[in-house]
């Protein structure tokens, strides 16, 4: 039972070190630039503005000629 406890302790130590290294690496690569909250007119959220539809709902689609 004692060898299992030693193996578990070494595994947990390696896991903690891996998580620490991954966290530090991630935080060093994150940009800290300030971003403006201004959005172009006509947008909601992250969507890009689309032109309005030329037909009413329920009206059949016309095929291009």
């Amino acid at each position: 039972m004692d060898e299992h406890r030693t193996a578990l302790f070494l595994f947990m130590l390696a896991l903690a070190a891996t998580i620490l290294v991954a966290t530090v690496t991630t935080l060093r690569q994150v940009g800290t630039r300030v971003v403006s909250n201004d959005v172009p007119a006509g947008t909601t959220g992250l969507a890009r503005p689309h032109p309005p539809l030329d037909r009413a709902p329920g009206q059949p689609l016309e095929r291009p000629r």
Side-chain angles (χ1 to χ4, degrees):
M1 182 77 166
D2 192 34
E3 56 273 351
H4 293 300
R5 185 174 300 167
T6 304
L8 183 61
F9 175 74
L10 291 175
F11 176 76
M12 295 302 287
L13 188 65
L15 182 64
T18 303
I19 291 173
L20 180 65
V21 168
T23 302
V24 169
T25 302
T26 301
L27 290 178
R28 289 188 67 203
Q29 293 179 0
V30 172
T32 56
R33 296 175 292 193
V34 177
V35 178
S36 172
N37 286 334
D38 298 332
V39 295
T43 60
T44 55
L46 298 175
R48 293 176 289 152
H50 296 284
L53 297 174
D54 291 335
R55 63 179 184 90
Q59 188 178 14
L61 293 173
E62 293 181 15
R63 295 182 182 206
R65 296 178 187 178

